[in-house]
Amino acid sequence: MTTSLKRQFTGVIYHEMTHIRQLNGKGQAPGGLIQGIADFVRLQADLAPPSFWARLGQGDRPDECYNVMAWFLDYYNSLRYGFVAELNKRIREEYNSGFFVKLLGKTVDQLWSDCKAQNETGHYKL
Ligand SMILES: [Zn+2]
């Protein structure tokens, strides 16, 4: 197995292992968020394959695809360390989009707009 293939395989395992420990608000949490958290873990482990993953601020909505959500979560986790862990804890029993307001002070739409604008100004580059 090549190094690149091992790395991608390991990234997939990180993603899937996250699902084992993850709850989904008793089915209420959006699938894009659940998948995005799993890819956030992969991103945090530095196992995101750069060739096909989106970058921060790409896409039209944070839940457009798994890795767009992962970058969105990573951005806000960088501003408030532990945010994703706290969000994950809160969706154990239920899901409420108000969790974003409680944790970050803004709605998901506002956060997405801020994230897009921040990326365009180049203040958050990886
Ligand atoms: Zn998944």
Side-chain angles (χ1 to χ4, degrees), residues 4-20:
S4 173
L5 190 56
K6 279 184 190 171
R7 187 178 153 79
Q8 288 189 40
F9 181 78
T10 304
V12 170
I13 296 299
Y14 269 65
H15 176 107
E16 300 305 336
M17 293 297 285
T18 301
H19 287 319
I20 290 172

Side-chain angles (χ1 to χ4, degrees), residues 69-81:
M69 177 63 83
W71 283 112
F72 175 75
L73 294 172
D74 184 66
Y75 174 66
Y76 284 104
N77 201 67
S78 74
L79 297 180
R80 182 179 170 203
Y81 183 76

Side-chain angles (χ1 to χ4, degrees), residues 15-16 19 22 34-36 38-39 66:
H15 176 107
E16 300 305 336
H19 287 319
Q22 199 176 26
I34 297 301
Q35 297 298 337
D39 263 0
Y66 301 180

Side-chain angles (χ1 to χ4, degrees), residues 57-74:
Q58 289 184 341
D60 296 323
R61 301 178 358 198
D63 62 346
E64 182 175 305
C65 81
Y66 301 180
N67 56 67
V68 170
M69 177 63 83
W71 283 112
F72 175 75
L73 294 172
D74 184 66

Side-chain angles (χ1 to χ4, degrees), residues 7-9 30 45 51 59 89 110 122 126:
R7 187 178 153 79
Q8 288 189 40
F9 181 78
S51 57
K89 193 185 312 179
Q110 291 169 323
L126 296 173

